[in-house]
Amino acid sequence: MKILVVVGFHDDTPSGGRKILYEYSNLLAADGHDVEMKFVANTQFPGRKRNLLVNVKNVIRYIRDVKKQYDVSWFKLNKKIKISTIFRSSQIDYSGFDRVILFSFAIALGVDLTNNNPEKFFYFVQADEKVNYDTRVVRKAWQLPIRKIAVSKWLANQVSTYDSNVKVVQNYVDVNEFYITRPIASRKAIALLNHASPAKGTAFGIDVLQKVLVKFPNTEIIMFGNPTKPDNLPFDVTYYQSANHNELREKVYNKAAVFLFTSKLEGWGLVASEAMASGATLVTTKNGGVEDFALQNQTALLGEFGEVDQMVENITTLLSNEQYRVRLAQAGALEMENFTIEKSFSKFKRALNIDDKATE
């Protein structure tokens, strides 16, 4: 079967959403399907505001970065996958492909459904993209008469209020990359993701940690992310920039007694699930997708976004009661064993209608 995966230009930095898509693409190619991945520099869709400056920047970016699209340094794509590039999404010829996987709302909106069969298009919804764009536009993508695949039950429920043609394929944790290597009881640190998007709540997390350190001043704080270490932090941190999975497992997740996850809105929460699989106790906001596996007082402690004192209390509870923390961490790691790449890929193929033998 000929499968086209359409995704925006990358900047060659690690991305959870891209990692899942790349992995599925690899597995489809390994299954014998003819997979092409097309990177698009400029997504065009009806109703998009015309901005000459943005168009010029996209042209410059295309010229500057087009060659970089053929090599992803942080993830090894299957050599069987044919990589190609195109400047404008409206230039894509979808004829000849049996299945087309669309990575974003903008790419989905740019498909000409009057001249293409809607049945072969699948919008892979990994987040509520309203955090990055106009909500009304994103909802138009959810309303398109094409099939949707959502990465969590929560996200699928959100999409289904606009279109019922949505399947749930929950994300997974690669147990070959993320697992327990250090005794849970011996851990003392707290880990936090540093992310440029305000929706990820890094500033909120820093406020929480500042108050936690008043009560537990000797606690090591670990931060990690693609950006450089934040300036003017109110406390000392051990920082890892653009860490690979080995560094994340050994230097972040397996050192963390508590993993603090502070997003306002998540389609899944990949780093949270990785940390849980590695034995860190999760303290998280009620951000949507994470609630597929973060169960209050069973596998994690949850609080409201922006409620600093509530999150501080959750962390204090764990650091003050090692037995309780260890029990939650163990239950969390056990819970993540339910989310395997084998199960997810089988369901992904079923959602694409290319594997009738897969089981639920």
Side-chain angles (χ1 to χ4, degrees), residues 6 14 16 29 34 57 65 79 111 129 133 138 144 171 185 187 208 213 216 240 252 267 276 291 298 345:
V6 187
D34 184 1
K57 287 183 178 179
D65 295 341
K79 292 181 179 179
V111 175
E129 293 167 285
Y133 206 81
V138 175
L144 288 170
N171 277 347
R187 305 180 188 190
V208 171
L213 287 170
F216 304 92
Y240 299 98
V252 180
M276 279 180 60
E291 293 169 65
Q298 297 179 50
F345 183 53

Side-chain angles (χ1 to χ4, degrees), residues 24 124-125 148-160 164-171 267-268 292 339 343-352 360:
Y24 284 152
F124 191 27
V125 187
K148 289 94 181 172
I149 302 173
V151 299
S152 66
K153 292 179 180 179
W154 171 83
L155 187 56
N157 286 335
Q158 304 305 306
V159 176
S160 67
S164 61
N165 196 1
V166 55
K167 300 287 187 181
V168 181
V169 179
Q170 290 169 300
N171 277 347
W268 175 257
D292 273 28
F339 300 96
K343 289 181 181 179
S344 295
F345 183 53
S346 288
K347 292 181 179 180
F348 189 73
K349 287 188 290 183
R350 289 195 69 181
L352 293 173
E360 290 291 345

Side-chain angles (χ1 to χ4, degrees), residues 75-147:
F75 187 94
K76 188 175 182 180
L77 283 169
N78 192 315
K79 292 181 179 179
K80 295 180 181 179
I81 297 174
K82 179 184 176 183
I83 296 177
S84 62
T85 59
I86 198 164
F87 173 65
R88 188 175 290 111
S89 58
S90 58
Q91 298 171 318
I92 298 175
D93 180 6
Y94 295 106
S95 64
F97 291 99
D98 302 299
R99 299 288 185 270
V100 181
I101 302 169
L102 310 167
F103 185 65
S104 71
F105 78 92
I107 293 171
L109 286 171
V111 175
D112 180 5
L113 295 176
T114 60
N115 295 311
N116 290 285
N117 178 11
E119 289 294 311
K120 71 179 182 180
F121 291 94
F122 296 81
Y123 171 20
F124 191 27
V125 187
Q126 297 199 67
D128 188 343
E129 293 167 285
K130 73 177 185 180
V131 298
N132 299 316
Y133 206 81
D134 189 307
T135 302
R136 293 169 297 178
V137 176
V138 175
R139 297 299 179 260
K140 287 181 180 179
W142 287 9
Q143 293 169 344
L144 288 170
I146 61 176
R147 306 180 193 195

Side-chain angles (χ1 to χ4, degrees), residues 180-189 253-258 278-281 318-331 333:
I180 296 172
T181 63
R182 183 179 302 217
I184 293 172
S186 69
R187 305 180 188 190
K188 304 297 181 184
Y253 301 148
N254 266 278
K255 288 191 68 176
V258 173
S278 303
T281 312
L318 295 174
L319 296 185
S320 301
N321 188 336
E322 183 177 289
Q323 186 176 12
Y324 179 54
R325 174 181 67 80
V326 170
R327 179 167 64 82
L328 278 188
Q330 291 173 334

Side-chain angles (χ1 to χ4, degrees), residues 230-255:
D231 294 327
N232 303 317
L233 285 171
F235 44 76
D236 293 330
V237 303
T238 303
Y239 192 79
Y240 299 98
Q241 183 179 7
S242 300
N244 60 38
H245 71 266
N246 289 322
E247 291 173 317
L248 286 176
R249 182 187 63 244
E250 299 299 334
K251 297 181 179 180
V252 180
Y253 301 148
N254 266 278
K255 288 191 68 176

